[in-house]
Amino acid sequence: MPSMKSMMFRKCLAVAALAIMGAGTSTSASAGLTMDPPRARLVQATQPLQSTPGAESKPPAPAEPGTTGQRPHETPPQPARPDADAKDAGTKPALPPAPAEKTAPPIK
């Protein structure tokens, strides 16, 4: 049966070997990135735009309608505050109000 010292030595040796292998792998990967020729790292330009086939024979799009910049007279102004009936017709709260003993005191 191997002694405690020899088992510890083997474990430390295995850990050191794995650390050296990891460092070597990362070093070789970064060296491969820096050793690439610069032309391989350049981005290629986009192709020139081409017109749609048959664009000459299609009719042009209609012109946008002109706006006067004024408010239409048919629509009357709406009130800023809705009446009480409109408030009651709105959505109801999902939860009931909290009981009085669970509300926090007002912030000063």
Side-chain angles (χ1 to χ4, degrees):
M1 184 164 166
S3 70
M4 188 66 111
K5 271 188 171 180
S6 66
M7 285 179 61
M8 188 65 144
F9 178 75
R10 286 182 184 169
K11 285 183 181 180
C12 286
L13 191 63
V15 168
L18 287 173
I20 290 172
M21 285 174 38
T25 303
S26 65
T27 302
S28 67
S30 63
L33 288 174
T34 58
M35 299 294 278
D36 284 342
R39 62 176 173 77
R41 286 185 270 151
L42 293 176
V43 178
Q44 195 172 26
T46 58
Q47 295 291 330
L49 296 176
Q50 299 174 354
S51 86
T52 307
E56 297 83 21
S57 62
K58 291 182 182 177
E64 301 243 349
T67 58
T68 60
Q70 296 179 359
R71 183 185 176 122
H73 296 289
E74 307 87 47
T75 309
Q78 299 295 321
R81 295 183 192 98
D83 55 1
D85 294 337
K87 288 181 186 176
D88 292 340
T91 34
K92 305 296 180 203
L95 298 172
E101 67 270 5
K102 292 193 179 181
T103 57
I107 298 175
K108 294 181 181 180

